[in-house]
Amino acid sequence: MDATISFTLNGRTVTVRSDPSRTLLEVLRNDLGLTGTKQGCDLEGECGACTVLLDGVPVRSCLTPLGKVQGRSVLTVEGLGDPERLHPVQKAFADAGAVQCGYCTPGMIMGAAALLMRNPNPSRAEIVDALEGNLCRCTGYAKIVAAVELAAARMRGEAAEAAVSGEKVIGGDSVRVDVAERVTGRTRYVEDIPMPDALHMRVVRSPHFHARVVALNADKALQVPGVLRVLTAADIPGQNSIEGYSKDETVLVPVGGTVKMVGDAVALVVATTPEAAQAGAEAVEVDYAPLPVVLDPQEALSPNAVSIHADGNVLSTFAVAHGDADEALAASDVRVDTTYRTSYLEHATLEREAALGYIDEAGRITVVSGTHEPHWHRDFVAPVLGVEPSQVRVITPPTGGSFGKRQDPWLAAATALAVYHMRRPVRIAYTRRESFDASPKRHPYTCQYAVGATKDGELTGLRLRVTANTGAYDSGGYWIPNYAVVAGGGPYRWRGVDAFAQSVYTNGPKSGQMRGYGTPQSNFALECTLDELIQRLGDDPVEFRLRNAIRQHETTWLGYPVAESLGYRQVLEAIRPRYQALEASARAFNECERGSWRKGVGLAGMWYRFGKYGVPRVAAEAELGLDGRFVVYCSAPDYGQGIATVMVQLAAETLGVSRDAIRLVNADTATTLDSGVPGASRATYWVGGAVCRAVTSLREVVAEAASEMLDCPPSAVVLTDDRVMVQGDAARSVGLREVAAEMERLGQSRKVTGVFDLREQFPQHEREMYTPHFVTGAHVAEVLVNVATGQVRVTRVVAAHDVGRAINPRDAQGQIEGAVVMGLGAALLEEYVPGVTTGFSDYYIPTAKAMPEIEVILIEVPSYQGPFGAKGLGEAAMLPAAPAIVNAISRAIGARIREIPATPERVLMAMRQGGQR
Amino acid sequence: MTRYCLAASVEEALALLEEHGGEARIMAGGTDVMVDIRKGKIAPRCLVDITRIAELRQVTVEGEWVNVGAAVTFAEIRQHPFIAQNVHVLAEAARCVGALPIQTAATWAGNIVQAMPAADGALAAVALRAEARIVDATGAQWRPVESLFVRPGVSAVNPCRQIITHIRFRVPQGSWGSAWSRAGRRESLVLPTLNCGACLTLGADGAVQDAVIALGPVAPRPFRSRQAEAFLCGKVPDSATLAEAGRIAQGESNPRTSPTRASREYRLALIPAMVAQTLEAAADRAAKRASYPLPPR
């Protein structure tokens, strides 16, 4: 029987009639419409996104039964403040740049607010202690901690509110658009969008690594009350594939087909409630005939191995030959041979995969879901339904992180399929367990290196063999071998290169796209191998890299020169003094210290190819609205990296107006132009370039129209936020609204297209995969290693990155800090083991406790072509972190770590075995 | 549909358990119970919430005895001034349970009843030789917490028939000190690779009069390294002695390999240093405590 529970919620008394054992989180979100509090795990208290205050004390609302709050007081993020009246903690989070995707933000804010209520002057350690149970994947925690310190100082009256700097738009510390909604829990992520009549969907998934689907019986499932439909491959009207994204993957494995991984999708169950959908999914009877399983890529390559796909177990390969590598290696004075290994990694975004599908007012099957480019998803969904792309609409909502996870169009296709059949709204949200089982992962690599140098420290030859484990399917990983090789040779001059990479199928989870797209793994192996070489030579890590760095304009070992300014020299020179100081301090520490801790300092560099291949042409639109406001239309999905804010800044700077004069329409296939192939940190450069072109064109037509009204030459007008003035004569002006009305009256188009077209600068090249855009960076990591236990603490990281031009320096910092901590996770903590790992309880992403002191050095070597000289950053920032940390550990313990994550156990074993492993 | 009762007294809670004939369950913070219900491990028809019972919400210090009510949360335990300053093994173990927003609900008694071999609260209770007051239809009795672990996940206390009301332990006069250590794959929000709680009493000559060393997970229950404890008695806790105690503790231990945490070999390798370092911290505190007056009765 329902209980009646009354409690105070955000200052008002509420009464709920419900099962009192339901979680407070579900009641808040589903019954009371307060969706600011988030669900990041499977109601097991693992992530902190659900934090609310119960009588002023932070609790996990996912573990709090409704019955417990009878007569007590609950405060959620919505109650703490609203966008018109922010609580100081909310304001500080906004001002300090502590909000990226925003999904962890409500929980963090509530935890911080509770801390400051009982301790108005917390130390950094106390802040970390209060928040170490709240996971964040974007920020690396640095600005979150800074925000709490800022809030505390302001609440004590010791710090003034930040003055809004009205002058610079680009390069100033620019608060993110929509941040007020994010810090007050008003932002609607997919699961927050209300659609009361929506049906609910669950996926029936294979429990086997490899099996034939012999039969499927939905009878019992259809008898479960609330279940309306069970969809199988037979119900797919178009093609049962997402080829073009993943060449070998079905949407639903048909009867008679084979499931190739645990979590492979076999059927979709649509029901009136999530519970019914779940019960229905459990009631679908699938008959599997297990097949031999192969999880190790080497085994998959052996002649007797079971064939996972028709064409054998190699998905794709890539090779580069430059000069004569064997001869170059033979001519070396010093040669180092290494094998490095990395693990499956999971993106672990705080927002689980979720989608909402419906038929829109124009009759289009519409999917609202996180994407990297909605047109991209639309183009894979339409063929599944057997319809034209124009009959499908994809909208990118506010998204709780991606890191490549949301590139996979499978979820959009499945949701669209359900809407196609049901003709009603359908929602789906993965469980965290399902996300871990079934969503794409980062490819594990085995990298075998042979590198050589002369005794003067000049690189000679490189021989590289990479085996990447692509799991059961392509999943957008077809080009991984190319990226593996490019990153595996680095921004260095080699006399001879013989590099080969292959992507191999196994029955592990499908490896797909994850931040860096196959480059962090081989960059890690390269930069650690180089460190071994440097140690053998007795050389200096910075000088060695400077000496061997690729020079601007010279043909690289890839066979072409880089297209954009490289910046590696500047990066290394900037980081050199920090490296030297930390290295000296570590040596002094180790000489004095008698206890179990040893300090180590390591350095690593990188280059990252940004921008992707394909036709180098992107378009965007700009418009003068009838309300006199400028509108920019582009497709640059913001899943936390801050690109929406960058687009607004670029437009404002180009027009010479303030940010508030710009409205952004972003990432909706019905209203924005296709940006082309997404990802690869390309948006600032490419989409930004298009936005700048579009607003420049708009400025011209507006100036033209206004100059007619003002009777002056078009070159003499100046734009402000709401008016157009004659230069030097402010009295002669006309409102932008009036200009718009006039243009409308004359039948002049108020909307223009801008095209960023670099086809002439970068003509199609005969060489495969010609993409000559690179950014560079280098990190120095300082670690403490406990030689008795193998425990590693990363105490400090200095991260220098050439960004071309920092459009939003604080957000650039935030991206780098987040990337450093993600790299730390890969280096020390994270390991997805198929069949073993289930979720946050056994996949260890860094908590606030792991956060090192991070110093960011932004180098600005302007690009030749990018808007205001900008380049790309989001992924590149991750590459040097893991090798810098591992190099630091290796130097601290005097033994090489050749496998990550370098868990305490692996570090201890490396010490015990000593020397090379 | 589950019934939810906010018991106002221990008697009422007992009556509810009786009324449901084994299908009701005692719940305090709920941080374990809610997960177990969700996972289908348990399906109680009634949850008896004991967190409103005033007598269960106190921490009292009377003479040498510290008495912690069963509804006191780990957050309250670690913040309690006497415990924070004097009972480091418990204060620090409380800090390790999940994270703060879990500690604000989770309780020591609940942690003990969950009966996991490396449960931080359970281990600290064993190190303190704590006793639990168990009330059921037959009456009330104090039992050593160490005796309450049947096997992993199974407690001698039946939360559908019995209630732990209090947990008490002695903080002896004189040179007594305690310490806690923990190793894990990361520093927060993680089940332990190895944890250790130790309590030492030193005599006037500086030699160990009494030692308790609790280790987990090195056995199906929170484990007492009795051989190491016996070895220490009568000896001055210098580095060599503590190192030897650590080695003895290693010899008595039998950890398993856990694929997501650590191998048996690594756990064994950690034991000597962890035990030695925990004992050293406890000994330091014991030595310092001799010079401070005891809290008033």
Side-chain angles (χ1 to χ4, degrees):
Chain A
M1 57 286 181
D2 275 347
T4 302
I5 311 292
S6 291
F7 59 104
T8 305
L9 175 60
N10 296 337
R12 292 204 188 85
T13 305
V14 298
T15 300
V16 177
R17 262 192 83 70
S18 185
D19 178 344
S21 71
R22 284 177 69 211
T23 66
L24 178 62
L25 176 64
E26 291 167 298
V27 170
L28 288 170
R29 289 183 55 84
N30 303 333
D31 299 18
L32 297 170
L34 290 172
T35 57
T37 309
K38 304 302 184 200
Q39 179 184 343
C41 74
D42 297 337
L43 307 176
E44 293 178 9
E46 288 168 349
C47 74
C50 69
T51 306
V52 300
L53 302 192
L54 182 58
D55 294 337
V57 163
V59 296
R60 302 277 211 234
S61 64
C62 76
L63 296 179
T64 307
L66 174 64
K68 189 179 265 298
V69 309
Q70 168 69 36
R72 297 174 74 178
S73 162
V74 173
L75 187 68
T76 72
V77 69
E78 293 96 333
L80 191 66
D82 62 54
E84 311 307 312
R85 251 176 351 247
L86 294 176
H87 183 277
V89 172
Q90 292 167 321
K91 183 109 189 19
F93 266 67
D95 293 344
V99 181
Q100 291 193 27
C101 84
Y103 206 77
C104 80
T105 299
M108 289 285 186
I109 283 175
M110 298 317 286
L115 170 69
L116 296 181
M117 281 178 209
R118 64 177 166 86
N119 181 353
N121 195 359
S123 65
R124 180 158 279 221
E126 285 168 328
I127 295 172
V128 169
D129 177 75
L131 296 181
E132 68 179 328
N134 287 53
L135 299 179
C136 171
R137 202 50 163 156
C138 298
T139 68
Y141 305 99
K143 295 205 184 311
I144 289 176
V145 172
V148 180
E149 289 172 336
L150 177 63
R154 286 176 175 172
M155 287 165 77
R156 293 193 307 269
E158 289 166 23
E161 291 283 308
V164 178
S165 68
E167 291 169 27
K168 283 198 294 183
V169 180
I170 286 190
D173 276 342
S174 211
V175 169
R176 288 203 181 189
V177 300
D178 301 332
V179 74
E181 285 76 28
R182 284 191 208 245
V183 297
T184 55
R186 265 61 171 186
T187 303
R188 293 212 187 268
Y189 301 83
V190 172
E191 275 181 287
D192 306 328
I193 298 172
M195 194 149 303
D197 58 335
L199 300 173
H200 298 266
M201 183 162 79
R202 288 301 302 266
V203 185
V204 178
R205 297 188 180 277
S206 165
H208 300 285
F209 285 108
H210 200 194
R212 207 159 36 84
V213 181
V214 174
L216 186 149
N217 189 333
D219 291 349
K220 292 219 175 86
L222 289 164
Q223 285 160 21
V224 171
V227 171
L228 299 177
R229 190 76 190 263
V230 175
L231 297 168
T232 66
D235 297 305
I236 294 175
Q239 59 191 49
N240 184 9
S241 100
I242 44 174
E243 71 177 350
Y245 182 77
S246 183
K247 67 188 272 262
D248 46 34
E249 195 173 345
T250 52
V251 178
L252 294 171
V253 178
V255 173
T258 62
V259 290
K260 301 175 174 49
M261 58 180 258
V262 168
D264 222 342
V266 168
L268 305 170
V269 176
V270 185
T272 51
T273 67
E275 295 75 24
Q278 173 63 25
E282 286 165 14
V284 172
E285 294 168 300
V286 188
D287 218 342
Y288 293 102
L291 294 167
V293 170
V294 57
L295 293 175
D296 175 54
Q298 283 310 315
E299 205 189 303
L301 287 169
S302 67
N304 309 324
V306 59
S307 217
I308 298 173
H309 288 276
D311 297 331
N313 289 339
V314 176
L315 165 62
S316 56
T317 66
F318 185 75
V320 163
H322 164 77
D324 186 330
D326 289 335
E327 189 186 295
L329 282 168
S332 316
D333 295 315
V334 178
R335 171 180 164 148
V336 162
D337 290 70
T338 66
T339 301
Y340 276 86
R341 283 178 232 280
T342 72
S343 159
Y344 271 120
L345 297 181
E346 155 62 32
H347 312 69
T349 55
L350 261 293
E351 184 195 16
R352 294 159 292 113
E353 291 83 336
L356 172 62
Y358 55 88
I359 299 181
D360 78 355
E361 67 282 355
R364 289 174 290 212
I365 292 187
T366 301
V367 177
V368 182
S369 189
T371 70
H372 282 244
E373 219 296 350
H375 299 81
W376 174 249
H377 275 202
R378 179 201 60 187
D379 293 346
F380 297 124
V381 168
V384 174
L385 306 181
V387 302
E388 286 303 306
S390 56
Q391 294 178 267
V392 175
R393 179 179 181 186
V394 177
I395 302 174
T396 309
T399 305
S402 178
F403 314 109
K405 174 188 276 285
R406 318 242 186 219
Q407 293 272 33
D408 186 352
W410 186 89
L411 181 61
T415 306
L417 180 66
V419 173
Y420 178 96
H421 283 288
M422 305 310 295
R423 315 310 292 179
R424 279 176 65 177
V426 177
R427 19 176 27 122
I428 175 171
Y430 281 14
T431 65
R432 181 59 66 179
R433 175 67 188 266
E434 190 175 12
S435 176
F436 267 82
D437 282 347
S439 75
K441 302 283 168 283
R442 187 188 288 289
H443 295 65
Y445 275 17
T446 301
C447 301
Q448 290 167 296
Y449 270 93
V451 296
T454 67
K455 59 180 169 1
D456 300 322
E458 281 188 13
L459 285 171
T460 52
L462 162 67
R463 187 176 183 277
L464 170 62
R465 296 288 178 269
V466 178
T467 302
N469 181 348
T470 197
Y473 296 109
D474 166 1
S475 192
Y478 190 87
W479 304 108
I480 286 280
N482 174 274
Y483 282 75
V485 163
V486 172
Y492 303 110
R493 297 197 324 279
W494 299 96
R495 292 188 204 166
V497 173
D498 164 15
F500 171 79
Q502 58 184 343
S503 240
V504 179
Y505 289 118
T506 66
N507 294 118
K510 56 187 185 181
S511 306
Q513 309 209 356
M514 184 168 172
R515 195 177 198 172
Y517 193 69
T519 58
Q521 305 94 301
S522 55
N523 170 259
F524 154 71
L526 169 69
E527 290 289 325
C528 289
T529 300
L530 288 180
D531 200 53
E532 297 196 42
L533 185 63
I534 287 163
Q535 278 196 305
R536 286 273 300 278
L537 288 165
D539 206 330
D540 174 273
V542 176
E543 305 312 319
F544 181 91
R545 287 174 174 83
L546 277 168
R547 189 184 311 124
N548 289 286
I550 281 175
R551 293 179 190 134
Q552 202 74 50
H553 309 303
E554 75 179 9
T555 300
T556 69
W557 58 271
L558 294 173
Y560 46 83
V562 300
E564 278 294 358
S565 59
L566 197 59
Y568 200 36
R569 170 162 312 280
Q570 292 87 331
V571 160
L572 290 168
E573 282 168 358
I575 214 166
R576 182 205 265 128
R578 305 297 296 113
Y579 172 74
Q580 287 170 341
L582 287 170
E583 213 273 321
S585 127
R587 246 182 297 122
F589 178 95
N590 292 335
E591 270 155 35
C592 305
E593 184 61 32
R594 295 280 172 265
S596 305
W597 294 94
R598 294 273 176 286
K599 235 186 221 191
V601 173
L603 179 131
M606 66 96 191
W607 72 349
Y608 176 73
R609 177 213 285 149
F610 74 95
K612 281 230 171 119
Y613 53 90
V615 178
R617 179 191 182 283
V618 177
E621 293 165 310
E623 181 184 46
L624 177 63
L626 284 170
D627 60 355
R629 225 167 140 219
F630 299 108
V631 187
V632 170
Y633 300 81
C634 69
S635 208
D638 193 333
Y639 29 83
Q641 81 282 38
I643 194 69
T645 306
V646 167
M647 293 299 127
V648 169
Q649 286 177 273
L650 289 173
E653 181 90 16
T654 305
L655 283 171
V657 301
S658 79
R659 287 176 27 163
D660 296 330
I662 310 285
R663 186 165 73 87
L664 182 70
V665 174
N666 194 7
D668 177 343
T669 62
T671 55
T672 64
L673 296 177
D674 192 341
S675 294
V677 175
S681 306
R682 72 197 301 274
T684 303
Y685 186 95
W686 293 97
V687 185
V691 164
C692 289
R693 296 279 191 282
V695 300
T696 300
S697 292
L698 181 66
R699 192 188 186 290
E700 282 165 14
V701 308
V702 168
E704 186 73 44
S707 67
E708 289 291 313
M709 297 165 79
L710 293 167
D711 194 26
C712 68
S715 55
V717 306
V718 172
L719 289 184
T720 70
D721 283 11
D722 55 359
R723 304 196 70 75
V724 187
M725 306 184 314
V726 177
Q727 179 117 48
D729 188 356
R732 282 168 67 200
S733 76
V734 61
L736 281 167
R737 231 187 247 193
E738 297 166 80
V739 176
E742 180 69 1
M743 292 175 75
E744 189 74 3
R745 191 182 70 81
L746 293 171
Q748 288 173 358
S749 178
R750 292 175 287 108
K751 189 174 190 180
V752 299
T753 303
V755 178
F756 189 55
D757 189 342
L758 299 184
R759 282 176 300 179
E760 256 175 61
Q761 289 85 341
F762 307 120
Q764 287 295 73
H765 201 274
E766 70 274 6
R767 193 178 294 272
E768 196 184 353
M769 294 290 293
Y770 170 65
T771 313
H773 290 68
F774 289 89
V775 281
T776 56
H779 291 186
V780 176
E782 177 194 68
V783 305
L784 279 171
V785 184
N786 186 313
V787 297
T789 63
Q791 184 195 357
V792 175
R793 275 203 196 119
V794 183
T795 45
R796 191 181 303 267
V797 173
V798 182
H801 283 277
D802 171 26
V803 298
R805 177 75 186 276
I807 307 298
N808 189 323
R810 193 178 44 230
D811 274 2
Q813 252 183 14
Q815 280 282 287
I816 292 170
E817 289 159 351
V820 164
V821 172
M822 200 176 248
L824 185 159
L828 299 179
L829 300 172
E830 296 174 38
E831 185 172 37
Y832 176 93
V833 181
V836 174
T837 308
T838 61
F840 281 138
S841 65
D842 47 34
Y843 185 82
Y844 309 109
I845 74 171
T847 67
K849 204 74 193 287
M851 177 188 74
E853 289 277 341
I854 303 174
E855 181 189 335
V856 171
I857 303 174
L858 293 179
I859 309 284
E860 291 181 312
V861 178
S863 68
Y864 305 135
Q865 308 290 346
F868 300 97
K871 295 176 181 170
L873 176 63
E875 294 165 282
M878 195 173 163
L879 269 64
I885 290 168
V886 171
N887 285 340
I889 299 170
S890 299
R891 281 162 180 267
I893 66 176
R896 279 286 155 182
I897 303 289
R898 296 260 182 91
E899 184 174 4
I900 52 174
T903 62
E905 181 162 352
R906 287 200 177 114
V907 173
L908 191 69
M909 294 313 161
M911 281 190 274
R912 301 254 161 126
Q913 283 157 25
Q916 312 288 329
R917 267 188 0 124
Chain B
M1 171 67 57
T2 314
R3 197 175 158 207
Y4 196 97
C5 299
L6 291 162
S9 66
V10 175
E11 292 68 35
E12 185 188 336
L14 268 180
L16 283 163
L17 291 182
E18 282 304 301
E19 180 192 328
H20 285 83
E23 305 233 313
R25 197 194 190 285
I26 295 294
M27 191 184 82
T31 56
D32 282 324
V33 168
M34 291 294 279
V35 177
D36 286 349
I37 291 175
R38 177 151 312 277
K39 287 184 168 170
K41 280 195 203 162
I42 60 176
R45 297 181 104 179
C46 173
L47 289 167
V48 181
D49 183 324
I50 58 165
T51 61
R52 312 272 180 125
I53 301 173
E55 69 159 298
L56 304 188
R57 302 236 349 99
Q58 317 290 328
V59 177
T60 60
V61 182
E62 282 174 35
E64 291 186 332
W65 285 93
V66 179
N67 191 310
V68 179
V72 176
T73 66
F74 277 119
E76 289 162 340
I77 286 172
R78 67 180 264 212
Q79 284 159 12
H80 190 275
F82 181 81
I83 294 174
Q85 286 156 33
N86 296 283
V87 194
H88 298 83
V89 64
L90 179 57
E92 287 170 25
R95 238 187 136 290
C96 291
V97 175
L100 180 64
I102 291 176
Q103 293 156 23
T104 53
T107 62
W108 202 6
N111 194 252
I112 287 166
V113 169
Q114 200 65 4
M116 299 309 271
D120 302 292
L123 220 59
V126 168
L128 288 166
R129 289 206 191 87
E131 299 171 338
R133 182 169 176 272
I134 302 162
V135 176
D136 61 22
T138 69
Q141 52 166 328
W142 287 95
R143 289 184 59 187
V145 170
E146 194 185 351
S147 69
L148 298 179
F149 303 94
V150 175
R151 57 178 182 278
V154 178
S155 174
V157 176
N158 180 350
C160 301
R161 296 284 191 191
Q162 300 173 300
I163 308 170
I164 292 180
T165 62
H166 300 83
I167 297 164
R168 72 179 180 192
F169 58 92
R170 253 181 83 236
V171 176
Q173 299 252 16
S175 300
W176 180 92
S178 70
W180 172 260
S181 301
R182 196 190 209 262
R185 283 283 292 266
R186 66 181 172 195
E187 290 193 58
S188 12
L189 265 189
V190 71
L191 291 176
T193 291
L194 195 70
N195 46 8
C196 176
C199 299
L200 283 183
T201 307
L202 302 179
D205 56 353
V208 173
Q209 280 186 343
D210 183 49
V212 184
I213 304 169
L215 261 183
V218 300
R221 308 179 191 80
F223 182 73
R224 285 269 302 269
S225 289
R226 286 188 153 86
Q227 291 172 32
E229 293 170 4
F231 166 79
L232 282 170
C233 282
K235 299 191 177 64
V236 170
D238 57 32
S239 322
T241 305
L242 296 183
E244 182 60 20
R247 277 189 292 276
I248 294 171
Q250 180 189 50
E252 307 179 67
S253 299
N254 191 17
R256 291 183 324 129
T257 290
S258 148
T260 57
R261 287 189 278 290
S263 70
R264 168 188 163 78
E265 291 71 28
Y266 178 67
R267 284 172 152 150
L268 283 169
L270 284 189
I271 290 170
M274 177 175 279
V275 168
Q277 127 203 339
T278 314
L279 287 170
E280 183 178 349
D284 277 348
R285 291 187 180 124
K288 288 199 183 89
R289 195 162 181 272
S291 58
Y292 283 101
L294 287 175
R297 284 174 191 269

